[in-house]
PDB file of all heavy atoms in Angstrom:
ATOM      1  N   LEU R  58     -18.673 -12.899   3.978  1.00 97.00           N
ATOM      2  CA  LEU R  58     -18.553 -11.833   4.994  1.00 97.00           C
ATOM      3  C   LEU R  58     -17.205 -11.879   5.699  1.00 97.00           C
ATOM      4  O   LEU R  58     -16.615 -10.820   5.958  1.00 97.00           O
ATOM      5  CB  LEU R  58     -19.706 -11.912   5.992  1.00 97.00           C
ATOM      6  CG  LEU R  58     -21.078 -11.567   5.454  1.00 97.00           C
ATOM      7  CD1 LEU R  58     -22.157 -11.841   6.480  1.00 97.00           C
ATOM      8  CD2 LEU R  58     -21.126 -10.112   5.019  1.00 97.00           C
ATOM      9  N   LEU R  59     -16.698 -13.068   6.021  1.00 98.00           N
ATOM     10  CA  LEU R  59     -15.361 -13.164   6.582  1.00 98.00           C
ATOM     11  C   LEU R  59     -14.287 -12.678   5.642  1.00 98.00           C
ATOM     12  O   LEU R  59     -13.369 -11.949   6.067  1.00 98.00           O
ATOM     13  CB  LEU R  59     -15.076 -14.618   7.001  1.00 98.00           C
ATOM     14  CG  LEU R  59     -15.819 -15.155   8.194  1.00 98.00           C
ATOM     15  CD1 LEU R  59     -15.547 -16.649   8.389  1.00 98.00           C
ATOM     16  CD2 LEU R  59     -15.450 -14.391   9.449  1.00 98.00           C
ATOM     17  N   LEU R  60     -14.415 -13.029   4.391  1.00 97.00           N
ATOM     18  CA  LEU R  60     -13.486 -12.540   3.371  1.00 97.00           C
ATOM     19  C   LEU R  60     -13.540 -11.007   3.255  1.00 97.00           C
ATOM     20  O   LEU R  60     -12.510 -10.328   3.177  1.00 97.00           O
ATOM     21  CB  LEU R  60     -13.750 -13.186   2.036  1.00 97.00           C
ATOM     22  CG  LEU R  60     -12.872 -12.790   0.862  1.00 97.00           C
ATOM     23  CD1 LEU R  60     -11.431 -13.272   1.118  1.00 97.00           C
ATOM     24  CD2 LEU R  60     -13.400 -13.392  -0.417  1.00 97.00           C
ATOM     25  N   ALA R  61     -14.766 -10.499   3.239  1.00 96.00           N
ATOM     26  CA  ALA R  61     -14.939  -9.036   3.141  1.00 96.00           C
ATOM     27  C   ALA R  61     -14.317  -8.329   4.324  1.00 96.00           C
ATOM     28  O   ALA R  61     -13.603  -7.329   4.166  1.00 96.00           O
ATOM     29  CB  ALA R  61     -16.438  -8.674   3.066  1.00 96.00           C
ATOM     30  N   GLY R  62     -14.533  -8.877   5.521  1.00 96.00           N
ATOM     31  CA  GLY R  62     -13.920  -8.253   6.710  1.00 96.00           C
ATOM     32  C   GLY R  62     -12.406  -8.257   6.654  1.00 96.00           C
ATOM     33  O   GLY R  62     -11.736  -7.267   6.976  1.00 96.00           O
ATOM     34  N   THR R  63     -11.858  -9.388   6.240  1.00 97.00           N
ATOM     35  CA  THR R  63     -10.398  -9.494   6.140  1.00 97.00           C
ATOM     36  C   THR R  63      -9.841  -8.493   5.139  1.00 97.00           C
ATOM     37  O   THR R  63      -8.852  -7.820   5.396  1.00 97.00           O
ATOM     38  CB  THR R  63      -9.997 -10.947   5.723  1.00 97.00           C
ATOM     39  OG1 THR R  63     -10.531 -11.854   6.692  1.00 97.00           O
ATOM     40  CG2 THR R  63      -8.496 -11.088   5.662  1.00 97.00           C
ATOM     41  N   ILE R  64     -10.436  -8.426   3.991  1.00 96.00           N
ATOM     42  CA  ILE R  64      -9.987  -7.491   2.965  1.00 96.00           C
ATOM     43  C   ILE R  64     -10.139  -6.046   3.406  1.00 96.00           C
ATOM     44  O   ILE R  64      -9.216  -5.218   3.181  1.00 96.00           O
ATOM     45  CB  ILE R  64     -10.742  -7.772   1.632  1.00 96.00           C
ATOM     46  CG1 ILE R  64     -10.262  -9.090   1.045  1.00 96.00           C
ATOM     47  CG2 ILE R  64     -10.546  -6.619   0.640  1.00 96.00           C
ATOM     48  CD1 ILE R  64     -11.043  -9.557  -0.156  1.00 96.00           C
ATOM     49  N   MET R  65     -11.211  -5.717   4.069  1.00 94.00           N
ATOM     50  CA  MET R  65     -11.408  -4.343   4.515  1.00 94.00           C
ATOM     51  C   MET R  65     -10.420  -3.957   5.614  1.00 94.00           C
ATOM     52  O   MET R  65      -9.933  -2.818   5.620  1.00 94.00           O
ATOM     53  CB  MET R  65     -12.866  -4.134   4.938  1.00 94.00           C
ATOM     54  CG  MET R  65     -13.829  -4.199   3.730  1.00 94.00           C
ATOM     55  SD  MET R  65     -15.537  -4.117   4.207  1.00 94.00           S
ATOM     56  CE  MET R  65     -15.912  -2.466   3.681  1.00 94.00           C
ATOM     57  N   VAL R  66     -10.087  -4.874   6.501  1.00 93.00           N
ATOM     58  CA  VAL R  66      -9.079  -4.589   7.539  1.00 93.00           C
ATOM     59  C   VAL R  66      -7.710  -4.387   6.856  1.00 93.00           C
ATOM     60  O   VAL R  66      -6.988  -3.449   7.207  1.00 93.00           O
ATOM     61  CB  VAL R  66      -9.040  -5.717   8.588  1.00 93.00           C
ATOM     62  CG1 VAL R  66      -7.809  -5.618   9.453  1.00 93.00           C
ATOM     63  CG2 VAL R  66     -10.298  -5.686   9.430  1.00 93.00           C
ATOM     64  N   PHE R  67      -7.351  -5.230   5.926  1.00 94.00           N
ATOM     65  CA  PHE R  67      -6.108  -5.134   5.197  1.00 94.00           C
ATOM     66  C   PHE R  67      -6.028  -3.779   4.480  1.00 94.00           C
ATOM     67  O   PHE R  67      -5.033  -3.079   4.524  1.00 94.00           O
ATOM     68  CB  PHE R  67      -5.962  -6.300   4.238  1.00 94.00           C
ATOM     69  CG  PHE R  67      -4.687  -6.257   3.428  1.00 94.00           C
ATOM     70  CD1 PHE R  67      -3.487  -6.559   4.001  1.00 94.00           C
ATOM     71  CD2 PHE R  67      -4.713  -5.883   2.102  1.00 94.00           C
ATOM     72  CE1 PHE R  67      -2.309  -6.526   3.249  1.00 94.00           C
ATOM     73  CE2 PHE R  67      -3.567  -5.847   1.355  1.00 94.00           C
ATOM     74  CZ  PHE R  67      -2.368  -6.181   1.941  1.00 94.00           C
ATOM     75  N   ASN R  68      -7.111  -3.401   3.793  1.00 92.00           N
ATOM     76  CA  ASN R  68      -7.125  -2.138   3.093  1.00 92.00           C
ATOM     77  C   ASN R  68      -7.068  -0.941   4.017  1.00 92.00           C
ATOM     78  O   ASN R  68      -6.479   0.096   3.691  1.00 92.00           O
ATOM     79  CB  ASN R  68      -8.319  -2.044   2.162  1.00 92.00           C
ATOM     80  CG  ASN R  68      -8.145  -2.839   0.893  1.00 92.00           C
ATOM     81  OD1 ASN R  68      -7.004  -3.233   0.544  1.00 92.00           O
ATOM     82  ND2 ASN R  68      -9.239  -3.181   0.228  1.00 92.00           N
ATOM     83  N   ALA R  69      -7.654  -1.057   5.207  1.00 89.00           N
ATOM     84  CA  ALA R  69      -7.570   0.048   6.189  1.00 89.00           C
ATOM     85  C   ALA R  69      -6.104   0.261   6.612  1.00 89.00           C
ATOM     86  O   ALA R  69      -5.644   1.385   6.756  1.00 89.00           O
ATOM     87  CB  ALA R  69      -8.448  -0.272   7.390  1.00 89.00           C
ATOM     88  N   LYS R  70      -5.364  -0.848   6.800  1.00 89.00           N
ATOM     89  CA  LYS R  70      -3.949  -0.724   7.135  1.00 89.00           C
ATOM     90  C   LYS R  70      -3.180  -0.074   5.985  1.00 89.00           C
ATOM     91  O   LYS R  70      -2.325   0.795   6.211  1.00 89.00           O
ATOM     92  CB  LYS R  70      -3.340  -2.097   7.449  1.00 89.00           C
ATOM     93  CG  LYS R  70      -3.828  -2.664   8.741  1.00 89.00           C
ATOM     94  CD  LYS R  70      -3.196  -4.045   9.003  1.00 89.00           C
ATOM     95  CE  LYS R  70      -3.733  -4.619  10.302  1.00 89.00           C
ATOM     96  NZ  LYS R  70      -3.151  -5.948  10.562  1.00 89.00           N
ATOM     97  N   LEU R  71      -3.492  -0.447   4.778  1.00 89.00           N
ATOM     98  CA  LEU R  71      -2.798   0.179   3.613  1.00 89.00           C
ATOM     99  C   LEU R  71      -3.150   1.653   3.515  1.00 89.00           C
ATOM    100  O   LEU R  71      -2.258   2.483   3.227  1.00 89.00           O
ATOM    101  CB  LEU R  71      -3.205  -0.551   2.305  1.00 89.00           C
ATOM    102  CG  LEU R  71      -2.650  -1.944   2.131  1.00 89.00           C
ATOM    103  CD1 LEU R  71      -3.237  -2.541   0.853  1.00 89.00           C
ATOM    104  CD2 LEU R  71      -1.167  -1.945   2.116  1.00 89.00           C
ATOM    105  N   LEU R  72      -4.366   2.028   3.770  1.00 87.00           N
ATOM    106  CA  LEU R  72      -4.749   3.449   3.720  1.00 87.00           C
ATOM    107  C   LEU R  72      -4.055   4.232   4.800  1.00 87.00           C
ATOM    108  O   LEU R  72      -3.706   5.385   4.636  1.00 87.00           O
ATOM    109  CB  LEU R  72      -6.272   3.574   3.837  1.00 87.00           C
ATOM    110  CG  LEU R  72      -7.056   3.151   2.582  1.00 87.00           C
ATOM    111  CD1 LEU R  72      -8.542   3.096   2.896  1.00 87.00           C
ATOM    112  CD2 LEU R  72      -6.755   4.056   1.428  1.00 87.00           C
ATOM    113  N   ARG R  73      -3.833   3.639   5.984  1.00 83.00           N
ATOM    114  CA  ARG R  73      -3.080   4.319   7.064  1.00 83.00           C
ATOM    115  C   ARG R  73      -1.637   4.560   6.597  1.00 83.00           C
ATOM    116  O   ARG R  73      -1.055   5.596   6.879  1.00 83.00           O
ATOM    117  CB  ARG R  73      -3.126   3.522   8.348  1.00 83.00           C
ATOM    118  CG  ARG R  73      -4.376   3.738   9.149  1.00 83.00           C
ATOM    119  CD  ARG R  73      -4.222   3.218  10.578  1.00 83.00           C
ATOM    120  NE  ARG R  73      -4.135   1.775  10.636  1.00 83.00           N
ATOM    121  CZ  ARG R  73      -5.120   0.920  10.680  1.00 83.00           C
ATOM    122  NH1 ARG R  73      -6.351   1.404  10.689  1.00 83.00           N
ATOM    123  NH2 ARG R  73      -4.909  -0.351  10.756  1.00 83.00           N
ATOM    124  N   LYS R  74      -1.043   3.597   5.914  1.00 80.00           N
ATOM    125  CA  LYS R  74       0.315   3.778   5.403  1.00 80.00           C
ATOM    126  C   LYS R  74       0.346   4.893   4.369  1.00 80.00           C
ATOM    127  O   LYS R  74       1.271   5.701   4.371  1.00 80.00           O
ATOM    128  CB  LYS R  74       0.843   2.466   4.790  1.00 80.00           C
ATOM    129  CG  LYS R  74       1.305   1.467   5.796  1.00 80.00           C
ATOM    130  CD  LYS R  74       1.981   0.304   5.104  1.00 80.00           C
ATOM    131  CE  LYS R  74       2.476  -0.675   6.189  1.00 80.00           C
ATOM    132  NZ  LYS R  74       3.180  -1.816   5.547  1.00 80.00           N
ATOM    133  N   ILE R  75      -0.627   4.911   3.504  1.00 80.00           N
ATOM    134  CA  ILE R  75      -0.703   5.968   2.490  1.00 80.00           C
ATOM    135  C   ILE R  75      -0.809   7.315   3.175  1.00 80.00           C
ATOM    136  O   ILE R  75      -0.149   8.289   2.808  1.00 80.00           O
ATOM    137  CB  ILE R  75      -1.877   5.717   1.511  1.00 80.00           C
ATOM    138  CG1 ILE R  75      -1.593   4.532   0.605  1.00 80.00           C
ATOM    139  CG2 ILE R  75      -2.182   6.970   0.678  1.00 80.00           C
ATOM    140  CD1 ILE R  75      -2.762   4.086  -0.224  1.00 80.00           C
ATOM    141  N   GLU R  76      -1.678   7.399   4.211  1.00 77.00           N
ATOM    142  CA  GLU R  76      -1.804   8.644   4.923  1.00 77.00           C
ATOM    143  C   GLU R  76      -0.500   9.123   5.536  1.00 77.00           C
ATOM    144  O   GLU R  76      -0.135  10.291   5.444  1.00 77.00           O
ATOM    145  CB  GLU R  76      -2.838   8.473   6.040  1.00 77.00           C
ATOM    146  CG  GLU R  76      -3.021   9.743   6.890  1.00 77.00           C
ATOM    147  CD  GLU R  76      -3.830   9.489   8.158  1.00 77.00           C
ATOM    148  OE1 GLU R  76      -3.747   8.370   8.694  1.00 77.00           O
ATOM    149  OE2 GLU R  76      -4.537  10.416   8.569  1.00 77.00           O
TER     150      GLU R  76
END
Side-chain angles (χ1 to χ4, degrees):
L58 290 173
L59 288 174
L60 180 65
T63 304
I64 289 173
M65 291 175 106
V66 166
F67 179 74
N68 283 342
K70 289 180 182 180
L71 290 176
L72 288 170
R73 278 194 294 273
K74 282 187 179 183
I75 289 171
E76 178 191 31

